[in-house]
């Protein structure tokens, strides 16, 4: 009408069961604004909360977010401390809100890196939400895919397993009993997997966005899911 182009609504044709997101680009978002990297992590965590709400509205079954990798422990003590403070604020204090929203929580990662108090607080948060029946929210925290597979094999050996099947490994991963991710989204422009859900993503569809994580809004998430619906999954057949 009068030369103004109407934006086409985003059409989601196939809903994935499990969406996994590598939330990358917080540091660059802050640096571009002359802010400390931690400010980017703060805004990034606010975007995480908005994304959870968007996934609830979409009726998604399972969302996994990559919040902190085992390799991220090698960042400066300042940055690690800043991220951990934010994590405490958002995972632990966010629990009452998640109860209301009927969200179940799973922390995926090597919690041996945390002190006893943090570990207990994380497990308590999971326990408080375990009877919920809505969105399953998995937070990959102190997570590394190779370490996860190594730990799974180690657990099987300790149990005295003489045969190891793909299923027996899957059952020992942090994601045991969850569906594999159908769609893995990475923001921030990098086209790599950075040790995320290596085993589980064997047949996932990948979607890379140049948007930095704090800029990746509901609209962009829907675009990614709409694109997923156009993919033809063949599983080698
Ligand atoms: C992702 O953002 C969050 C974490 C890894 C904790 P980055 O901190 O990696 O941001 P960039 O990639 O440096 O911009
Ligand atoms: C991956 O991002 C980890 C998270 C988003 C938590 P990184 O910024 O750590 O990955 P690289 O270093 O670019 O591969
Ligand atoms: Mg990064």
């Amino acid at each position: 009408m009068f030369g103004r182009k109407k934006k086409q609504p985003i059409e989601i044709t196939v809903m994935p069961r499990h969406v996994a997101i590598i939330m990358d680009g917080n540091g660059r978002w802050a640096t571009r604004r002359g802010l400390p990297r931690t400010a980017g992590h703060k805004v990034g965590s606010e975007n995480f909360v908005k994304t959870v709400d968007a996934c609830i509205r979409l009726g998604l079954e399972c969302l996994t977010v990559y919040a902190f990798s085992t390799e991220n422990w090698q960042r400066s003590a300042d940055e690690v401390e800043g991220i951990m403070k934010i994590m405490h604020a958002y995972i632990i204090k966010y629990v009452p809100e998640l109860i209301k929203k009927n969200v179940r929580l799973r922390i995926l990662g090597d919690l041996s890196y945390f002190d006893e108090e943090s570990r207990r607080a994380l497990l308590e948060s999971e326990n408080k939400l375990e009877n919920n029946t809505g969105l399953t929210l998995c937070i990959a925290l102190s997570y590394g895919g190779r370490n996860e597979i190594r730990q799974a094999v180690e657990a099987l050996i300790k149990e005295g397993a003489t045969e190891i099947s793909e299923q027996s490994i899957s059952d020992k991963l942090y994601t045991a009993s969850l569906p594999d991710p159908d769609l893995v989204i990475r923001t921030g422009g990098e086209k790599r997997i950075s040790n995320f859900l290596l085993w589980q993503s064997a047949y996932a569809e990948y979607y890379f966005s140049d948007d930095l994580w704090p800029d990746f809004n509901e609209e962009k998430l829907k675009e990614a899911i709409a694109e997923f619906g156009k993919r033809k999954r063949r599983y080698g057949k």
Side-chain angles (χ1 to χ4, degrees):
M1 227 196 289
F2 303 113
R4 201 200 260 163
K5 229 182 179 177
K6 203 167 166 239
K7 225 180 151 207
Q8 288 293 319
I10 302 164
E11 210 189 324
I12 294 176
T13 50
V14 184
M15 197 56 197
R17 286 183 72 188
H18 184 173
V19 174
I21 308 181
I22 303 175
M23 309 185 290
D24 195 25
N26 292 344
R28 279 165 285 163
W29 186 93
T31 307
R32 282 179 198 173
R33 285 165 178 74
L35 299 169
R37 291 177 60 84
T38 328
H41 295 311
K42 177 89 188 6
V43 183
S45 64
E46 284 158 12
N47 195 41
F48 153 71
V49 174
K50 287 186 202 156
T51 302
V52 171
D53 289 341
C55 290
I56 294 171
R57 277 192 286 276
L58 285 165
L60 186 70
E61 186 179 333
C62 185
L63 170 72
T64 298
V65 292
Y66 202 7
F68 196 82
S69 71
T70 43
E71 290 75 23
N72 289 149
W73 288 110
Q74 295 165 57
R75 294 193 180 187
S76 75
D78 261 9
E79 186 173 349
V80 171
E81 200 190 316
I83 294 172
M84 290 308 149
K85 270 203 190 128
I86 295 168
M87 178 210 85
H88 265 258
Y90 273 92
I91 301 185
I92 296 157
K93 289 190 203 152
Y94 191 42
V95 166
E97 229 182 281
L98 291 177
I99 292 177
K100 278 194 226 141
K101 291 175 180 167
N102 197 20
V103 171
R104 207 175 358 209
L105 177 70
R106 289 232 337 227
I107 308 292
L108 317 178
D110 188 348
L111 297 190
S112 69
Y113 283 80
F114 291 100
D115 57 45
E116 186 55 38
E117 198 193 325
S118 306
R119 211 167 26 235
R120 197 164 347 110
L122 289 170
L123 295 176
E124 258 173 38
S125 297
E126 277 185 336
N127 290 339
K128 282 186 189 147
L129 296 166
E130 75 184 344
N131 293 324
N132 285 350
T133 54
L135 173 76
T136 298
L137 170 64
C138 306
I139 303 181
L141 191 67
S142 187
Y143 176 87
R146 285 188 172 179
N147 187 44
E148 180 187 32
I149 297 166
R150 184 198 62 74
Q151 282 187 351
V153 174
E154 188 175 62
L156 290 169
I157 294 171
K158 278 194 183 142
E159 283 177 5
T162 48
E163 272 178 57
I164 293 180
S165 65
E166 291 187 7
Q167 189 60 46
S168 68
I169 292 179
S170 291
D171 292 343
K172 292 288 184 205
L173 300 177
Y174 305 127
T175 49
S177 81
L178 295 175
D180 282 341
D182 301 293
L183 171 64
V184 176
I185 299 171
R186 182 175 188 141
T187 64
E190 313 290 2
K191 290 174 184 66
R192 55 176 172 254
I193 203 64
S194 301
N195 207 8
F196 185 50
L197 300 180
L198 298 179
W199 178 276
Q200 299 87 337
S201 300
Y203 272 102
E205 295 294 327
Y206 285 94
Y207 182 91
F208 297 100
S209 164
D210 285 331
D211 288 297
L212 301 175
W213 171 248
D215 299 323
F216 192 80
N217 57 23
E218 181 164 0
E219 207 63 6
K220 294 180 174 185
L221 173 67
K222 284 189 190 160
E223 278 167 19
I225 296 176
E227 158 71 23
F228 167 81
K230 293 182 192 151
R231 307 265 180 98
K232 176 97 184 76
R233 302 177 87 183
R234 281 184 291 274
Y235 300 97
K237 288 177 209 146

